């Protein structure tokens, strides 16, 4: 059973079903279940094929009934773990999901938490409540582990079949049972000594990315001061076969991992009065990046003698990365809101995102943008199927991706 059928839970359920395992998916959102049944969900092409097969052969069923947990041998919990407006972990969905699983658990089950969370959460929300409620000991009466999901939407070479999975149990036997249950969901399973080690592994992975993204954004700004192409320098450095991993600058970061995960670690460290100046600085820099895009947009409008108020600005691509329809935490949302607050007549175009809600305002993706004249086009996300050639005829273009041809004469951050 998979509890939570979102961006991580549904692909996980499909990987299990594709291995011939009967899977029940539980989600409290009835509209999500209807979309899954209608196959109208954002998935990689391979997962769309798995969804069709799994529904047709009956290996995947979905329900809102949490009591179905009692019928499963293995329960995977995969629900959102965002942060609130104050960058404090929002544990409501996770706490509710774990409490529901605990209330419906049966002896002998293997229960695996996959949602990114704080260190010790697996024990706090699953193992200890099971002990208090039923007297069950993890590793003897029930088996509890943590195994973070590793999904890179839109990147086929990072499919689960090619990516190892981390598993850490509350006890050694818990870890062994979880490894056995998850073997079909990944290229291989790498065991660590405890659930806490597995929880920290996920936090390290995404904190590492956050720090490097913040650094490369800063480096790209420095390159502009020297009139040097940062991508050329990054690609040159990447020829070194050791000691360097290429990251690329952009308008900010979206999705769930980078904007949120490190804050779970920082939140815990603050409670223990442990400083983490490098990670704090990185997350602050990342959070400030969309505002830098807005400031640069204002500068470009002024350079072209255009007033900000009433300026026609198009944001090209609003998904947080190419090839997906996911707008969670997308920098485009903050950029568009900031521009609208300045009086800009802001529109967007994204073939993957036909509609978008910006606060209380519902927007639709603009059609035939190539034939219109814009005061400024902000290239936020360039999807693989999009041809940027038409941008050469526009008044001003701000390429936040740093990836468009120099022939288009785009400005950068």
């Amino acid at each position: 059973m998979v509890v939570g059928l979102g961006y991580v839970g549904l692909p996980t359920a499909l990987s299990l079903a594709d291995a011939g395992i009967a899977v029940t998916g539980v989600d409290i959102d009835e509209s999500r279940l209807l979309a899954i049944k209608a196959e109208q969900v954002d998935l990689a092409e391979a997962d769309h094929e798995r969804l069709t097969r799994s529904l047709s052969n009956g290996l995947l069923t979905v329900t809102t009934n949490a009591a179905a947990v009692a019928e499963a041998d293995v329960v995977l919990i995969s629900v959102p773990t965002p942060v609130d407006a104050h960058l404090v972990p929002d544990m409501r969905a996770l706490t509710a999901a774990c409490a529901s699983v605990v209330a419906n658990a049966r002896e002998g089950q293997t229960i695996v938490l996959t949602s990114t969370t704080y260190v010790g959460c697996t024990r706090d929300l699953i193992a200890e409540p099971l002990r208090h409620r039923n007297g069950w000991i993890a590793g003897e009466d029930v088996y509890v582990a943590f195994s973070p999901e590793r999904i890179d939407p839109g990147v086929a070479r990072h499919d689960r079949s090619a990516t190892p999975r981390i598993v850490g149990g509350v006890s050694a036997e818990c870890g062994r049972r979880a490894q056995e249950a998850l073997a079909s969901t990944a290229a291989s399973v790498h065991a660590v000594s405890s659930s806490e080690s597995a929880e920290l592994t996920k936090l390290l992975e995404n904190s590492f990315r956050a720090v490097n993204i913040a650094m490369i954004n800063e480096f790209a700004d420095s390159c502009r001061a020297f009139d040097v192409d940062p991508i050329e320098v990054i690609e040159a450095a990447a020829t070194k076969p050791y000691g360097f991993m290429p990251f690329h600058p952009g308008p900010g970061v979206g999705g769930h991992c980078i904007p949120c995960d490190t804050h779970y670690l920082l939140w815990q460290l603050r409670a223990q009065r442990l400083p983490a100046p490098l990670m704090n600085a990185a997350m602050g820099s990342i959070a400030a990046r969309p505002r830098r895009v807005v400031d640069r947009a204002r500068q470009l409008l002024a350079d072209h003698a255009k007033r900000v108020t009433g300026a026609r600005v198009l944001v090209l691509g609003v998904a947080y990365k190419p090839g997906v329809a996911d707008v969670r935490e997308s920098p485009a949302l903050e950029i568009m809101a900031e521009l609208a607050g300045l009086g800009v007549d802001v529109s967007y175009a994204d073939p993957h995102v036909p509609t978008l809600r910006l606060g209380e305002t519902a927007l639709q993706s603009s059609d035939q943008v190539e034939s219109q004249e814009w005061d400024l086009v902000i290239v936020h996300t360039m999807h693989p199927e999009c041809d940027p050639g038409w941008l050469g005829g526009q008044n001003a273009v701000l390429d936040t991706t740093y990836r468009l041809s120099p022939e288009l004469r785009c400005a950068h951050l």
Side-chain angles (χ1 to χ4, degrees):
M1 171 169 288
V2 177
V3 178
L5 295 175
Y7 285 93
V8 171
L10 180 56
T12 301
L14 293 174
S15 67
L16 290 164
D18 209 43
I21 300 169
V23 182
T24 299
V26 178
D27 201 292
I28 62 173
D29 185 353
E30 181 67 42
S31 64
R32 176 66 175 176
L33 300 188
L34 291 173
I36 291 171
K37 291 176 182 178
E39 301 182 36
Q40 299 296 315
V41 285
D42 181 29
L43 289 169
E45 183 177 347
D47 277 335
H48 267 296
E49 295 171 0
R50 292 186 181 109
L51 178 59
T52 299
R53 286 196 301 270
S54 300
L55 291 173
S56 63
N57 63 24
L59 285 175
L60 175 66
T61 58
V62 297
T63 181
T64 58
N65 182 16
V69 166
E71 302 171 9
D73 295 319
V74 178
V75 180
L76 307 182
I77 303 170
S78 181
V79 295
T81 50
V83 295
D84 64 19
H86 302 288
L87 303 179
V88 174
D90 181 350
M91 301 287 293
R92 289 175 296 177
L94 182 59
T95 300
C98 290
S100 179
V101 169
V102 168
N104 291 284
R106 64 170 173 80
E107 198 168 358
Q109 283 181 320
T110 298
I111 302 173
V112 184
L113 178 59
T114 72
S115 303
T116 303
T117 186
Y118 67 87
V119 182
C121 182
T122 306
R123 292 182 194 268
D124 290 349
L125 296 189
I126 303 175
E128 285 302 304
L130 285 170
R131 184 175 67 84
H132 287 298
R133 178 185 175 87
N134 302 321
W136 294 344
I137 303 300
E140 298 177 10
D141 306 299
V142 69
Y143 306 95
V144 180
F146 183 79
S147 179
E149 185 56 77
R150 288 166 162 173
I151 289 181
D152 192 2
V155 183
R157 67 181 183 277
H158 295 162
D159 183 79
R160 288 177 303 282
S161 62
T163 305
R165 184 155 195 163
I166 304 299
V167 174
V170 170
S171 72
E173 182 60 16
C174 290
R176 189 191 69 77
R177 299 264 184 141
Q179 290 175 59
E180 185 178 280
L182 294 169
S184 63
T185 69
S188 62
V189 176
H190 179 89
V192 292
S193 62
S194 66
S195 54
E196 287 82 4
S197 290
E199 290 158 348
L200 262 174
T201 298
K202 179 65 172 179
L203 295 175
L204 171 61
E205 290 172 3
N206 288 331
S207 296
F208 172 86
R209 292 169 65 195
V211 169
N212 280 278
I213 289 169
M215 187 279 290
I216 210 68
N217 283 339
E218 182 178 288
F219 177 78
D221 294 345
S222 301
C223 285
R224 181 166 171 262
F226 296 112
D227 195 25
V228 171
D229 178 5
I231 300 300
E232 180 183 20
V233 178
I234 293 167
E235 290 177 350
T239 63
K240 185 179 181 182
Y242 58 91
F244 184 83
M245 177 182 293
F247 285 78
H248 295 90
V253 293
H256 177 272
C257 293
I258 308 303
C260 301
D261 289 359
T262 302
H263 288 296
Y264 278 74
L265 179 56
L266 292 173
W267 169 71
Q268 229 174 342
L269 293 176
R270 283 196 297 271
Q272 297 188 37
R273 303 294 193 270
L274 291 174
L278 185 59
M279 285 189 287
N280 270 306
M283 296 308 291
S285 176
I286 284 172
R289 194 66 174 175
R291 176 62 65 86
R292 178 161 176 77
V293 175
V294 173
D295 289 344
R296 184 73 171 119
R298 295 175 66 180
Q299 181 183 21
L300 288 171
L301 288 170
D303 290 346
H304 288 79
K306 300 289 185 180
R307 294 183 58 189
V308 172
T309 303
R312 297 186 71 243
V313 174
L314 175 72
V315 177
L316 190 59
V318 293
Y320 84 89
K321 66 183 297 187
V324 303
D326 192 349
V327 297
R328 291 176 302 162
E329 306 294 335
S330 173
L333 304 181
E334 184 177 344
I335 291 166
M336 293 172 68
E338 291 272 356
L339 290 171
L342 294 171
V344 170
D345 179 10
V346 62
S347 302
Y348 86 93
D350 191 314
H352 293 265
V353 187
T355 61
L356 180 69
R357 181 160 291 279
L358 200 63
E360 299 299 317
T361 304
L363 301 176
Q364 289 189 324
S365 180
S366 299
D367 295 326
Q368 299 180 329
V369 293
E370 300 92 339
S371 60
Q372 300 183 51
E373 184 176 344
W374 304 93
D375 294 321
L376 174 64
V377 177
I378 300 176
V379 181
H380 177 275
T381 304
M382 182 56 67
H383 292 293
E385 67 271 30
C386 295
D387 181 3
W390 64 276
L391 293 170
Q394 291 297 314
N395 293 311
V397 177
L398 173 57
D399 174 22
T400 70
T401 72
Y402 294 83
R403 290 298 189 136
L404 299 186
S405 170
E407 296 176 359
L408 295 176
R409 301 187 304 279
C410 300
H412 298 98
L413 296 179

